[in-house]
Amino acid sequence: MADTSWADSAKSLKGVILDMCGVLYDSGEGGGVPIPGSVEAVKRLKASDLQLRFCTNETQATREKFVAKLQRMGFDISVSEVFSPAPAAVAVLKERGLRPHLLVYDGLVPEFDSVDKTSPNCVVIADAADNFSYHNLNEAFRVLIGLEKPVLFSLGKGRYYKETDGLKLDVGVYMKALEYACDVEAEVIGKPASVFFQSVLNDMGIQPHEALMIGDDLVNDVGGAQHCGMKGVQVRTGKYRPSDERHPTVTADGTVDNLAQAVDMILSQRGH
């Protein structure tokens, strides 16, 4: 049964932010599959008077390739609507004159083409999947431990995510390993960092209380959005676990079966 109290505030909304993997689709072989009803739900939001943005910690492809994959699934989505950690990380690296050692998925490397990577003075890790070998983690460790002031950037801090064949370890697990080994605290770029959510709100030109985040990750999507001043709704798809509804520190403003149900509730409150 869906909690409907959060939908009462739908009339005052100006924007909706959607997580992608686990909300729009489940990743996996062949690029993944859309979650039933999600393609139509995005179309309905696009046809409404609400602004729509997509906020993802996806780091296994450039935004262009990632968006092209979703377009092939039938989603009405463009690169300019998608906020992901890699472009934000590139901006930070350039601003601070840092040269990264990259421990990322091969498909993400082109995002960093404009950054000097000689004689690294920091490490950037993302969801590197099979590139998270002992050899590659040890290389990243050696770069960090050799710096007087080690700097570690993590593109997100998720614990796991869902693919079509089951749950997979995410970047946060490996971030913690490097933090522990090097006695350093990673700087997280992406969800749940407030600055990441704020960049999406700035793009829409709205205030936090005028926006709603819908995600499958209770801590990083919902909790991160709430910390920024937004309402956060969790879907029971993707990485959702029943125990999320009894979490000790994060309580979603609402929990719905899927994106389609959330959109139904939002638009019905707005008279659509």
Side-chain angles (χ1 to χ4, degrees), residues 1-266:
M1 190 67 188
D3 171 16
T4 60
S5 58
W6 63 272
D8 296 341
S9 62
K11 288 177 184 170
S12 62
L13 283 181
K14 292 186 178 177
V16 174
I17 303 171
L18 300 181
D19 177 37
M20 300 176 83
C21 184
V23 176
L24 303 183
Y25 75 105
D26 282 325
S27 62
E29 284 295 316
V33 293
I35 291 169
S38 59
V39 171
E40 183 60 29
V42 169
K43 282 182 184 165
R44 293 181 66 200
L45 284 173
K46 285 277 185 97
S48 75
D49 56 351
L50 290 163
Q51 293 198 65
L52 179 63
R53 297 293 186 275
F54 303 89
C55 189
T56 179
N57 277 356
E58 165 66 41
T59 52
Q60 288 199 2
T62 62
R63 275 192 304 173
E64 288 75 14
K65 287 193 174 178
F66 181 49
V67 167
K69 176 179 77 172
L70 288 164
Q71 288 171 342
R72 287 193 295 273
M73 291 184 196
F75 288 102
D76 177 5
I77 183 171
S78 62
V79 172
S80 63
E81 296 167 326
V82 176
F83 287 76
S84 62
V90 168
V92 171
L93 293 168
K94 288 181 175 178
E95 183 185 310
R96 288 163 60 175
L98 292 169
R99 303 179 303 278
H101 170 87
L102 300 176
L103 177 46
V104 303
Y105 197 77
D106 291 343
L108 192 69
V109 172
E111 289 272 24
F112 294 87
D113 282 351
S114 64
V115 178
D116 181 8
K117 293 179 280 291
T118 57
S119 301
N121 56 5
C122 70
V123 167
V124 174
I125 65 168
D127 172 21
D130 290 341
N131 283 351
F132 276 134
S133 64
Y134 175 80
H135 173 80
N136 290 344
L137 277 164
N138 207 47
E139 274 200 331
F141 160 73
R142 285 175 172 172
V143 171
L144 285 170
I145 207 74
L147 296 169
E148 189 178 336
K149 292 185 178 176
V151 178
L152 172 63
F153 295 102
S154 183
L155 306 193
K157 58 184 281 190
R159 292 179 295 169
Y160 55 85
Y161 57 92
K162 185 184 178 189
E163 290 199 341
T164 50
D165 63 347
L167 298 175
K168 304 286 178 78
L169 289 175
D170 203 351
V171 64
V173 177
Y174 303 96
M175 176 194 87
K176 288 292 184 185
L178 289 171
E179 283 185 330
Y180 179 63
C182 302
D183 195 22
V184 63
E185 185 175 341
E187 297 181 41
V188 176
I189 300 178
K191 298 176 293 184
S194 292
V195 67
F196 191 61
F197 282 111
Q198 190 60 52
S199 69
V200 187
L201 294 170
N202 291 347
D203 187 66
M204 290 193 280
I206 63 176
Q207 297 300 310
H209 67 274
E210 299 171 321
L212 172 71
M213 174 77 202
I214 302 174
D216 66 325
D217 186 319
L218 182 70
V219 174
N220 292 313
D221 294 339
V222 173
Q226 290 173 333
H227 189 68
C228 195
M230 291 186 267
K231 276 194 162 40
V233 168
Q234 186 180 24
V235 290
R236 294 188 181 97
T237 55
K239 68 169 70 171
Y240 164 85
R241 314 290 283 169
S243 58
D244 289 343
E245 297 186 50
R246 304 182 300 277
H247 195 277
T249 59
V250 181
T251 302
D253 291 291
T255 309
V256 294
D257 289 339
N258 49 41
L259 177 61
Q261 186 180 64
V263 172
D264 278 344
M265 294 169 71
I266 293 166

